Amino acid sequence: MPEKLFRVLSLDGGGAKGFYTLGVLREIEAMIGCSIHERFDLIFGTSTGSIIASLLALGKTVDEVHEIYKAHVPTVMKAWLPSNKTKALAKLAADVYGDQKFDAFRTDMGIVASRWVEERPMIFKTDLRQAHGRQSTFTPGFGVKIADAVQASCSAYPFFKPKLIVTDQGDEVKLIDGGFCANNPTLYALADAVVSMKQPLETVRMVSIGVGIYPAKKYSLLSARFWISKFPVVPLLQKTLEINTQSMEQLRELLFRNIQTARINQEYSEPAMATDMFEHDLHKLNILRQRGAQSYADHEPTLKSLLT
């Protein structure tokens, strides 16, 4: 085994289904016996994954992140007007991150968002070593606050309004959810590790965590969400994100098959597990967290070999 391993953590997007991710991470944290940021050299996240990833990289424990999710996520997801969802998401970001910028992170980070006009990814990073170009003007996180980068990564249009950020270069950029370009950001994380940070393939260890795959949720006829769900854009968005997630994983297997990887993203078929990214029932979200912990158990030997 190489003397110095380079460990990477990648967290998918998926809205409220991030509770599943927290279940997996709770067990990982217990297994390694230290904070997540102390064991991983690079953490990437998209959308809900960017919230979890950034909080862990700031030094929060998984239980602390879980408490934040219980306090804020149902409020964000319960609102059904885009303006109300956007306000709730902005409040979450402001309350949790304040005015902190990317120099506050304790390990290297990547937060994935999508440029609205240019139709390209925009990835907020911590370190010059992660830059694939324009190194002379590199600034951690483009000079923006963590709160703004995370809100941009989570702005799943049309359910949230696009997020306008202003970089330290004075560039105004309109951003939407990072899931439109990489709902599973594993490839972007590996590109940083192997290409720009120049880590040999044999030293890299990857842990990639999804949000689970579930049957479609059915709403009561009396629920406003029943009628909203009838608009084609709702299933189309969820299908787009799922196709993106699976295609990224397929490419990862083809391009980086020599990198030791644990991919955790269990599929469920039971009707009782039906849910979606806008779930706000804490009882159901607690079940997702429990299922995440159970998924960890299925991968425990591999995770131990990668992380201990």
Side-chain angles (χ1 to χ4, degrees), residues 29 56 96 141 205:
E29 186 179 65
L56 294 175
V96 171
R205 302 291 185 269

Side-chain angles (χ1 to χ4, degrees), residues 11-241:
L11 305 180
D12 288 11
K17 293 182 289 184
F19 275 81
Y20 172 93
T21 310
L22 291 173
V24 179
L25 287 168
R26 181 188 73 189
E27 301 301 318
I28 289 177
E29 186 179 65
M31 182 259 290
I32 62 177
C34 64
S35 298
I36 296 292
H37 78 273
E38 296 179 85
R39 189 56 50 95
F40 289 93
D41 302 282
L42 179 63
I43 304 178
F44 258 66
T46 295
S47 198
T48 196
S50 76
I51 302 176
I52 299 171
S54 57
L55 290 171
L56 294 175
L58 286 170
K60 299 286 187 186
T61 67
V62 176
D63 280 346
E64 287 173 329
V65 179
H66 180 227
E67 290 303 315
I68 290 169
Y69 260 58
K70 288 194 296 183
H72 288 278
V73 169
T75 301
V76 174
M77 295 309 176
K78 189 178 296 185
W80 60 277
L81 288 176
S83 58
N84 292 340
K85 275 190 180 299
T86 302
K87 288 178 182 176
L89 178 60
K91 184 179 187 306
L92 181 159
D95 290 350
V96 171
Y97 300 102
D99 292 327
Q100 293 182 99
K101 292 192 174 183
F102 276 60
D103 58 1
F105 286 126
R106 302 185 184 185
T107 191
D108 286 324
M109 271 289 301
I111 293 175
V112 182
S114 304
R115 293 176 179 263
W116 174 260
V117 176
E118 298 93 333
E119 299 171 347
R120 294 166 59 91
M122 183 170 185
I123 307 178
F124 299 84
K125 302 180 181 182
T126 49
D127 196 282
L128 175 63
R129 296 178 305 136
Q130 295 173 260
H132 294 269
R134 299 195 300 175
Q135 294 187 352
S136 298
T137 57
F138 177 87
T139 306
F142 299 99
V144 309
K145 295 186 292 186
I146 298 172
D148 291 332
V150 168
Q151 187 180 346
S153 183
C154 295
S155 294
Y157 183 82
F159 301 100
F160 294 83
K161 293 182 177 181
K163 173 67 177 177
L164 182 69
I165 61 113
V166 181
T167 71
D168 60 340
Q169 301 291 318
D171 297 330
E172 294 185 352
V173 188
K174 185 182 288 187
L175 297 169
I176 58 173
D177 197 292
F180 287 104
C181 56
N183 200 53
N184 170 359
T186 302
L187 280 182
Y188 289 171
L190 289 174
D192 274 15
V194 174
V195 179
S196 59
M197 302 177 88
K198 304 187 186 312
Q199 296 296 319
L201 291 176
E202 63 270 17
T203 71
V204 178
R205 302 291 185 269
M206 164 62 73
V207 176
S208 174
I209 305 175
V211 296
I213 304 170
Y214 309 92
K217 186 171 182 177
K218 293 179 172 59
Y219 293 99
S220 164
L221 281 169
L222 300 178
S223 168
R225 292 182 181 274
F226 173 83
W227 302 105
I228 294 173
S229 68
K230 295 304 177 184
F231 288 102
V233 69
V234 178
L236 178 61
L237 172 62
Q238 297 195 107
K239 181 64 70 173
T240 298
L241 297 180

